Amino acid sequence: MADKEANPSKKPTLLFLNKESEPLFSKKNRVLLTDPLDDNNPITVQVLGVCSALAITVQLKPALVMTLSVIAVMGASNVIISLLRNLIPNRIRIIVQLVVVASMVILVDQILRAYAYDVSKQLSIFIGLIITNCIVMGRLEAFALGNGVWRSFLDGIGNAAGYGFILIVVAFFRELLGSGKLFGYQVIPDAFYEMGYENNGLMLLSPMALITVGVFIWIQRARNRKLIEKN
Amino acid sequence: MGFSPQNCLVMNRDSNGYTFLFAAAMVLVVASTLAFTASSLKSLQADNVRKEKMQNILSTIGIQTDREQAETLYKQYITGTLALDHLGNPDEKVDAFQLKLNNEIKKPANEQRFPLYKAVVDNISYYIIPLRGSGLWDAIWGYIALKSDINTIQGAVFDHKGETAGLGAEITQQWFMDRFKEEKVFNSSGQLVGINVSKTNNDPKDTDKEDHEVDAISGATITGDGVTDMIIERLTHYLPYFEKEKTTMASIN
């Protein structure tokens, strides 16, 4: 990870009690939230978590639930790993991260099954596969193990939101063009269909998710020159 | 990694003893948290599954409902649940709704119990038969409702565990399930033929309702064959019961 950051304070920190006082939303902390939305987006810049981005973006609703689930999992596991960062034995740190992420995912899955059964059926294995989403483990290893609780929390939320932002944008276009609906409600008027408009069935297939992400990357790079490789 | 020696709070973090201690404590904490959550949410989850089953049963007779309404409507329309033996006699000792078809289906036919739901909507009675079979990757199941002539299909609903999304998994789509409506499971000479999910029926709109065939899904041949097989396999076991029902109906008329 290029953005690996050292602990900002060189003084010993006891769990989350940081001796230096810093406003909660200082500029440095805000960057943790906003950076993954654009400059360092997990999907379009780091190209992580693409598999699930293809699979669950046919409709907005599952994409939104997936986003919220990933935000919950990443926020919580970043906080837990950050809290334990001075206790975790170095040699089994990956196992510890995996156990923490896996338990968070199981919790989310169980809660969805109890309170949002239909969505949980729709997302089926993809909730379980949050465990394998490289973004989650990547942030634990690169950030939470070396940073304080609050900063790690922001970083987790930020990266999950950056991931979810792409999911929602892609799902918006796929549902709109593929089924003429948004959140399951018909938005393209019947008159259009009578005039010969047809839903684009191709939008429902995963290749179009990849192409939509590609178009997004194109627009993002045209707008944000920093992202263009120099050579 | 992002730790430095002066950050250490406790004993040497790299010693074997500490590593084992940490792992053991972690496993304990995680296991008890998850076990607690799972057991406290269990009743809610089981309730969802039960209501979904009612929802599926109701949808075969054309009653679409959300999960909240399912139980009320189920009680309103489903007039009887029977657990039949292989001779078509109801077994009073068995609760048909609780029968697990995936367990039953492994037993020899004469030990199985065959659940059957009877429904009455607007004074017309229906027979709803649960189905279970194999798709390409894993189990497929569903319900099929026959009209009171015990021949014409009122509706069918299918579900699956792990069929390929976009191909085999399409059997759960309404347009596929709708193809079964009005099809007949007995041929003109009274023989049970079931419904063939066919790639060669030359009837893509399924307008011919006398051909015992529905149009298959491209790329889902094995799942489609699984649907064909499970319909005929399951219905066969209900033949003795159907015979009895037909005789009773004939005697009433």
Side-chain angles (χ1 to χ4, degrees):
Chain A
M1 295 280 154
D3 60 335
K4 182 173 168 175
E5 285 165 58
N7 197 329
S9 69
K10 287 286 168 223
K11 286 177 195 164
T13 49
L14 179 73
L15 294 178
F16 54 93
L17 295 172
N18 199 329
K19 291 287 184 306
E20 279 175 63
S21 63
E22 195 186 349
L24 282 181
F25 287 100
S26 67
K27 198 166 178 220
K28 233 166 43 184
N29 285 349
R30 277 204 311 271
V31 166
L32 293 174
L33 271 177
T34 54
D35 200 41
L37 287 175
D38 188 5
D39 288 359
N40 215 346
N41 190 285
I43 295 183
T44 61
V45 180
Q46 301 179 35
V47 201
L48 296 174
V50 175
C51 173
S52 54
L54 304 190
I56 48 140
T57 51
V58 178
Q59 289 164 339
L60 266 171
K61 198 177 169 195
L64 186 72
V65 175
M66 185 69 171
T67 303
L68 296 177
S69 308
V70 172
I71 289 180
V73 168
M74 282 191 74
S77 41
N78 262 18
V79 164
I80 292 174
I81 291 293
S82 175
L83 275 173
L84 297 174
R85 71 186 184 281
N86 296 327
L87 298 171
I88 297 171
N90 199 28
R91 275 180 297 175
I92 59 164
R93 66 175 197 283
I94 300 282
I95 299 174
V96 175
Q97 291 166 18
L98 201 64
V99 169
V100 169
V101 178
S103 356
M104 289 305 128
V105 168
I106 294 170
L107 282 182
V108 168
D109 187 37
Q110 293 287 328
I111 290 169
L112 284 182
R113 255 186 236 180
Y115 295 104
Y117 186 69
D118 300 300
V119 187
S120 107
K121 273 198 80 169
Q122 223 169 351
L123 290 171
S124 62
I125 55 166
F126 289 103
I127 288 290
L129 287 180
I130 296 177
I131 301 170
T132 63
N133 193 327
C134 319
I135 303 168
V136 185
M137 287 273 282
R139 294 325 294 169
L140 292 180
E141 177 76 9
F143 198 91
L145 271 175
N147 284 282
V149 173
W150 176 243
R151 285 172 59 79
S152 299
F153 178 69
L154 292 181
D155 180 77
I157 301 282
N159 274 280
Y163 164 80
F165 172 57
I166 304 295
L167 288 196
I168 288 170
V169 169
V170 175
F172 175 84
F173 286 109
R174 288 183 77 188
E175 191 173 359
L176 182 68
L177 302 176
S179 14
K181 296 177 180 172
L182 288 178
F183 284 107
Y185 295 105
Q186 195 74 38
V187 287
I188 295 190
D190 285 337
F192 276 45
Y193 291 100
E194 280 155 24
M195 282 158 62
Y197 174 84
E198 289 232 19
N199 289 327
N200 184 350
L202 192 60
M203 287 306 282
L204 300 177
L205 304 175
S206 359
M208 284 311 288
L210 206 55
I211 292 172
T212 317
V213 172
V215 172
F216 189 94
I217 294 177
W218 178 15
I219 296 171
Q220 191 188 15
R221 293 194 171 205
R223 209 178 51 79
N224 190 343
R225 295 271 157 193
K226 266 189 295 187
L227 297 174
I228 300 170
E229 287 84 359
K230 288 290 175 296
N231 40 5
Chain B
M1 279 327 304
F3 78 90
S4 51
Q6 72 257 42
N7 277 357
C8 275
L9 282 173
V10 274
M11 59 192 272
N12 181 9
R13 272 201 293 174
D14 289 327
S15 73
N16 285 344
Y18 179 76
T19 307
F20 275 113
L21 200 71
F22 186 91
M26 173 181 76
V27 170
L28 268 179
V29 171
V30 167
S32 42
T33 319
L34 292 184
F36 175 76
T37 327
S39 53
S40 46
L41 293 177
K42 200 171 182 185
S43 60
L44 276 170
Q45 294 169 351
D47 205 42
N48 282 337
V49 174
R50 197 171 59 90
K51 284 181 181 157
E52 189 197 26
K53 186 173 177 179
M54 293 177 170
Q55 226 179 338
N56 283 338
I57 292 174
L58 287 172
S59 78
T60 59
I61 48 172
I63 294 163
Q64 301 297 344
T65 163
D66 55 14
R67 253 200 329 283
E68 275 64 49
Q69 298 285 315
E71 190 145 21
T72 336
L73 291 172
Y74 180 86
K75 282 183 185 143
Q76 185 181 340
Y77 291 115
I78 305 296
T79 51
T81 52
L82 304 174
L84 305 170
D85 64 14
H86 67 292
L87 301 171
N89 300 314
D91 182 345
E92 303 291 341
K93 291 189 287 279
V94 181
D95 179 2
F97 190 81
Q98 301 293 344
L99 270 183
K100 296 238 182 306
L101 218 51
N102 56 338
N103 297 337
E104 293 297 309
I105 216 159
K106 289 171 196 143
K107 301 177 191 168
N110 55 2
E111 287 173 22
Q112 286 188 41
R113 290 293 173 267
F114 305 99
L116 179 104
Y117 304 88
K118 286 168 117 177
V120 176
V121 183
D122 298 332
N123 291 324
I124 304 168
S125 58
Y126 299 100
Y127 300 87
I128 304 162
I129 292 138
L131 308 169
R132 193 172 178 99
S134 319
L136 172 60
W137 303 114
D138 213 318
I140 53 175
W141 60 90
Y143 297 88
I144 193 163
L146 299 179
K147 293 187 179 182
S148 45
D149 62 356
I150 318 188
N151 188 4
T152 316
I153 295 175
Q154 168 71 13
V157 56
F158 302 111
D159 206 347
H160 67 97
K161 187 167 177 200
E163 298 308 294
T164 320
L167 301 173
E170 296 290 285
I171 59 167
T172 61
Q173 297 288 325
Q174 198 59 46
W175 51 260
F176 180 72
M177 303 193 288
D178 282 346
R179 290 178 180 174
F180 287 81
K181 286 183 178 166
E182 305 298 326
E183 291 279 352
K184 310 256 190 305
V185 292
F186 287 91
N187 67 11
S188 49
S189 51
Q191 206 184 356
L192 181 70
V193 286
I195 304 295
N196 188 14
V197 179
S198 166
K199 297 200 286 181
T200 53
N201 72 341
N202 294 326
D203 179 23
K205 299 270 183 219
D206 282 304
T207 44
D208 182 358
K209 294 297 184 187
E210 305 291 333
D211 61 354
H212 316 288
E213 286 188 339
V214 297
D215 201 37
I217 302 168
S218 308
T221 310
I222 294 176
T223 313
D225 289 349
V227 172
T228 308
D229 292 345
M230 92 175 159
I231 291 175
I232 184 86
E233 191 273 329
R234 285 283 97 189
L235 285 181
T236 309
H237 298 295
Y238 292 84
L239 279 174
Y241 177 79
F242 290 159
E243 285 310 315
K244 286 183 194 175
E245 281 292 294
K246 283 176 182 167
T247 339
T248 359
M249 267 189 277
S251 64
I252 293 169
N253 296 335

